[in-house]
Amino acid sequence: MTLDPVHVDGIAKLAGQVRETVETSDQEAAAEEVWDNFLDPLWQDGTKILEPLDEQRRRKVPIEDIALADPPFPTQHGLDSGTINPTTFKNGLVLDVAQAAMGSVPSDVELHRGRTIIMAVHSNDATLGFDGEWQGGDRGYAKRRVLDVPQVDRYEQRVVHALALYLAESRHALTNADVVEDLFILDGPIYPTGVLRWADRDTELADLLAEDDRPKTVVNNYVDLVERFVERDVPMVGFIKNSSTKALTRALRRKTNAPWVNDTAFFRRILERRDDEGELQTDCLTATNWFRSRGGTDGIMAADGDALGIERSLDPEAYEVTFFVLYDPRSDLVFRVEAPYAFTQDPDRRAKLTRQILHDVAREQGPPLAIGKADELAKIDRQGSEELTRRIERTFETDREREYNDIRWGAVEESF
């Protein structure tokens, strides 16, 4: 231990001082005021960035009852992608490898075996080009290719990671869309927010998103995916386990005291249920109604958004992001569930989607089983990532770039 007990005690006293300061602000009352007075609708710069699709309300459902109820959708398919994380090599290349997989309930072994694998590569040498054709593998169950990512002066790791992850995910989803019969669940948002956020970040990334076809192609895949499922009349949703969106709280800070670090913190305050003694009640799942969202990156796909210039064949409203928020008190976790407006404009279908997700979370004590399966299939664990990186080192005949912290924290095993 690097801190002596006397220092630990001192730090705990500092935390107590901070707590006393925080307790002087009534965050619960502030959350209730926002819920009652600001969200129906929430305006920002003359635009409705948030509005309820139906009556604004909170609902609760006994966990045991909803877990035992028959699910509205007999079969579900989930999709996820995982990466080795961006890696820089001594030959100047920066790359990431992503693989996407689909899980199904009930299980389909043939489907589970399929993979889409992308190696995204960045180099500052403009004379090099890495793009390749799609290749087969694993007796036709796998499709893989190299993606030459756009040149940037900074953010190389961010670019290779986002493009590998979302290209693998979107292509695998499009390849297997026709096998989905009742419900498709993406592990994550319905659009590639990791790419769309470039518009609000550094100028270089914003220009890249606006001018380069490669990130636009990735976003276009998700537009195609919405259109494919609308054509087949099969709903799709996105289940976000760790939402970091701040569109709501940023807009609220212009109007009132909004002490929450992000939207998830606000919704947790709204959806927690406590007894008279302040103890958290854990017998029910709680959820909001569905909202239509045009704030932050959601505005890009709004009816009046430009969608990055991507052609849309449906009514522009069909692509708009709608969502509801779900709170599981057993794990104290908040989940955001998204769907294109095309699938939530009908109240009956909206109710079925809500019941399905509540049922799945109640049973699994976490994300729906379909994306739980996809996550297990797609994830690349630390051991697999290390082995793959070593194989790439041998192929490149060079090593990855190492930092002192790699050795200090045991991220890299050194041999002498």
Side-chain angles (χ1 to χ4, degrees):
M1 186 173 182
T2 58
L3 288 172
D4 292 331
V6 64
H7 302 311
V8 174
D9 291 342
I11 293 171
K13 290 178 181 178
L14 293 177
Q17 178 183 332
V18 172
R19 176 186 173 183
E20 290 175 2
T21 303
V22 171
E23 286 180 343
T24 61
S25 66
D26 193 343
Q27 293 192 14
E28 183 176 351
E32 292 294 336
E33 179 188 2
V34 167
W35 178 260
D36 292 338
N37 300 311
F38 289 92
L39 304 186
D40 189 12
L42 177 63
W43 292 85
Q44 179 176 302
D45 300 330
T47 299
K48 295 178 184 178
I49 67 165
L50 192 79
E51 61 178 327
L53 288 185
D54 48 20
E55 179 187 358
Q56 182 183 322
R57 62 192 178 104
R58 288 167 285 187
R59 65 196 74 183
K60 65 179 181 179
V61 57
I63 291 173
E64 185 174 349
D65 291 351
I66 191 67
L68 295 175
D70 291 332
F73 297 94
T75 65
Q76 308 94 48
H77 288 74
L79 189 138
D80 193 16
S81 56
T83 78
I84 66 170
N85 289 324
T87 306
T88 302
F89 293 86
K90 293 178 181 179
N91 59 7
L93 299 182
V94 183
L95 66 80
D96 201 354
V97 178
Q99 71 162 346
M102 183 175 282
S104 66
V105 178
S107 291
D108 180 340
V109 176
E110 293 282 307
L111 178 69
H112 291 179
R113 186 172 172 178
R115 296 290 190 277
T116 297
I117 300 169
I118 299 291
M119 176 182 285
V121 184
H122 176 277
S123 172
N124 283 321
D125 187 344
T127 65
L128 300 179
F130 305 103
D131 267 341
E133 300 295 325
W134 285 98
Q135 303 175 26
D138 189 21
R139 300 182 180 180
Y141 285 97
K143 293 184 177 181
R144 56 180 184 252
R145 66 166 289 194
V146 174
L147 175 68
D148 188 7
V149 307
Q151 285 191 327
V152 289
D153 292 328
R154 297 178 293 166
Y155 310 116
E156 300 93 342
Q157 293 197 348
R158 181 178 296 175
V159 171
V160 297
H161 177 72
L163 294 185
L165 183 77
Y166 290 117
L167 182 58
E169 178 181 88
S170 59
R171 283 302 301 257
H172 200 70
L174 288 168
T175 299
N176 295 284
D178 290 343
V179 307
V180 182
E181 298 175 355
D182 298 304
L183 176 64
F184 177 59
I185 310 175
L186 272 171
D187 191 343
I190 58 174
Y191 297 115
T193 54
V195 173
L196 296 179
R197 285 194 187 113
W198 294 358
D200 296 326
R201 299 262 172 106
D202 182 84
T203 302
E204 183 180 13
L205 289 179
D207 291 344
L208 184 66
L209 183 58
E211 299 170 3
D212 196 285
D213 288 338
R214 282 163 286 190
K216 281 187 180 180
T217 297
V218 171
V219 179
N220 191 76
N221 283 349
Y222 288 83
V223 172
D224 290 345
L225 199 61
V226 172
E227 293 171 353
R228 178 83 67 86
F229 280 102
V230 169
E231 180 183 0
R232 299 186 62 238
D233 196 30
V234 174
M236 62 175 285
V237 301
F239 189 91
I240 306 174
K241 295 174 287 191
N242 301 294
S243 176
S244 59
T245 179
K246 297 184 178 182
L248 170 63
T249 47
R250 283 174 177 164
L252 287 171
R253 288 192 188 105
R254 301 183 182 185
K255 304 173 182 293
T256 185
N257 175 36
W260 311 285
V261 66
N262 54 31
D263 297 357
T264 295
F266 164 72
F267 282 113
R268 177 179 282 106
R269 281 283 181 179
I270 287 298
L271 294 173
E272 284 180 340
R273 296 167 53 247
R274 295 185 180 273
D275 60 24
D276 294 339
E277 285 72 41
E279 292 296 320
L280 184 65
Q281 296 179 283
T282 60
D283 59 321
C284 293
L285 298 179
T286 52
T288 68
N289 54 281
W290 285 84
F291 290 93
R292 190 195 307 234
S293 175
R294 304 183 185 95
T297 58
D298 295 344
I300 296 174
M301 290 299 170
D304 59 355
D306 65 358
L308 304 179
I310 294 169
E311 183 178 351
R312 294 178 284 184
S313 62
L314 306 173
D315 185 321
E317 278 196 342
Y319 303 88
E320 290 196 321
V321 176
T322 65
F323 74 91
F324 80 93
V325 178
L326 162 64
Y327 175 64
D328 188 343
R330 297 169 296 179
S331 56
D332 190 33
L333 292 178
V334 176
F335 304 114
R336 173 173 160 131
V337 182
E338 295 184 350
Y341 181 64
F343 300 118
T344 56
Q345 59 185 324
D346 177 69
D348 290 338
R349 175 170 277 178
R350 195 161 64 230
K352 288 181 180 179
L353 290 172
T354 305
R355 287 200 305 273
Q356 180 69 51
I357 298 299
L358 289 171
H359 165 82
D360 289 348
V361 172
R363 287 198 62 177
E364 300 302 317
Q365 297 191 41
L369 180 58
I371 59 172
K373 290 184 177 183
D375 178 75
E376 285 296 317
L377 294 166
K379 73 178 180 182
I380 305 174
D381 61 20
R382 180 173 174 177
Q383 180 178 354
S385 178
E386 283 294 314
E387 173 59 25
L388 183 55
T389 302
R390 285 193 290 267
R391 291 285 301 273
I392 295 172
E393 286 178 320
R394 291 197 292 270
T395 302
F396 284 171
E397 296 184 347
T398 189
D399 297 329
R400 79 193 87 174
E401 288 190 351
R402 289 169 167 82
E403 298 178 347
Y404 177 69
N405 281 343
D406 293 330
I407 302 172
R408 182 185 183 194
W409 300 113
V412 176
E413 294 180 3
E414 290 287 349
S415 58
F416 297 95

